[in-house]
Amino acid sequence: MKNRVSGGDSGGNAGRSSSAEGKNASKNLKRNKRRLGGGGLSLEAFANLKSKSNGYNPAIIKKQREFYKNAKYISKYKKVLKKEELPNELSMKIEPLEDDIEAKDDTETSANSRVKKNKHKTYKLNELYEQKRQEDERARKEREAIIQAKEQARKEALFRRKTARKNMFKKTRSGQPVMKYRMEQLLETIQASVKK
């Protein structure tokens, strides 16, 4: 076997290795350029790309969202107003057919009776509307009272459970559980089972 010393090669080998390294380096450089997408961008091309807007602007998007949200609220508000004004509109639109038939007579008495009928029907519709609204209000108050009673009962039960749990976990100075509260709990459960 021959001893090879770095830098002490024969002249022919050294010349070949440097040219081989140069070829490999250029191959690697070409491969890297191809992999990365070419030779890169010029400064001018990079600046032009940066200056172009791609349509993404968070401030504009936020304004658009707010606009659509407000539009939705406005449409809901208009619907509610329409529903509230609906009985009044109905009272005005109830009697067009009968009015057309009576309008052919054109006498004073028919005009007076028509006004009276219209007032009477409007009054009835308003009365029905008020009655329905009062019933809805009453039902809503009852529901609220029931919900409030349930909430109050839930709070009281939670308070009782917390105090019972606190008492059950009490310990003496030596770390033993306090038996007084545990005995009371057992006594209450026995009495409740006897009453059933």
Side-chain angles (χ1 to χ4, degrees), residues 17-149:
S17 64
S18 65
S19 65
E21 286 175 10
K23 287 181 182 178
N24 286 339
S26 63
K27 261 187 188 178
N28 287 340
L29 187 62
K30 286 180 182 177
R31 189 182 321 130
N32 285 342
K33 277 188 179 181
R34 197 176 333 121
R35 183 173 53 88
L36 294 173
L41 295 174
S42 68
L43 185 60
E44 187 178 333
F46 180 75
N48 286 339
L49 284 176
K50 278 298 207 180
S51 66
K52 289 181 184 176
S53 67
N54 59 355
Y56 177 74
N57 187 348
I60 293 173
I61 292 171
K62 187 177 179 184
K63 280 184 183 179
Q64 286 174 344
R65 277 190 193 145
E66 192 173 333
F67 176 76
Y68 291 131
K69 191 176 173 184
N70 289 340
K72 197 187 326 179
Y73 288 145
I74 290 170
S75 67
K76 282 184 182 179
Y77 176 72
K78 285 182 180 178
K79 284 180 186 177
V80 168
L81 281 180
K82 232 181 204 180
K83 284 183 182 178
E84 287 179 0
E85 293 175 3
L86 189 63
N88 295 335
E89 291 174 7
L90 284 176
S91 65
M92 299 301 171
K93 293 180 181 178
I94 282 182
E95 204 179 7
L97 293 177
E98 293 175 11
D99 287 346
D100 291 342
I101 295 169
E102 291 179 6
K104 292 179 182 177
D105 295 340
D106 282 343
T107 62
E108 288 293 321
T109 56
S110 65
N112 288 339
S113 64
R114 185 178 40 189
V115 170
K116 286 180 183 177
K117 282 183 184 178
N118 196 9
K119 281 184 181 178
H120 186 64
K121 286 186 178 184
T122 304
Y123 175 74
K124 279 187 176 180
L125 280 175
N126 285 339
E127 189 178 297
L128 286 172
Y129 173 70
E130 287 295 325
Q131 194 176 21
K132 186 173 183 335
R133 200 178 79 199
Q134 287 173 355
E135 288 173 6
D136 290 344
E137 186 71 22
R138 222 177 295 126
R140 186 182 61 81
K141 284 182 180 177
E142 288 174 4
R143 280 195 307 268
E144 286 179 357
I146 291 169
I147 290 170
Q148 198 171 17

Side-chain angles (χ1 to χ4, degrees), residues 131-191:
Q131 194 176 21
K132 186 173 183 335
R133 200 178 79 199
Q134 287 173 355
E135 288 173 6
D136 290 344
E137 186 71 22
R138 222 177 295 126
R140 186 182 61 81
K141 284 182 180 177
E142 288 174 4
R143 280 195 307 268
E144 286 179 357
I146 291 169
I147 290 170
Q148 198 171 17
K150 283 184 181 179
E151 184 70 21
Q152 186 68 24
R154 191 183 66 79
K155 283 182 181 178
E156 289 173 0
L158 183 65
F159 179 73
R160 280 196 310 269
R161 280 198 305 272
K162 278 187 177 179
T163 54
R165 186 172 188 269
K166 186 177 176 183
N167 289 336
M168 291 295 272
F169 281 110
K170 281 190 175 178
K171 306 253 186 213
T172 61
R173 276 189 286 176
S174 59
Q176 298 296 318
V178 177
M179 293 304 291
K180 176 175 124 179
Y181 300 111
R182 292 175 184 238
M183 296 301 284
E184 286 176 1
Q185 179 69 24
L186 288 172
L187 180 64
E188 286 175 8
T189 54
I190 291 169
Q191 287 175 346

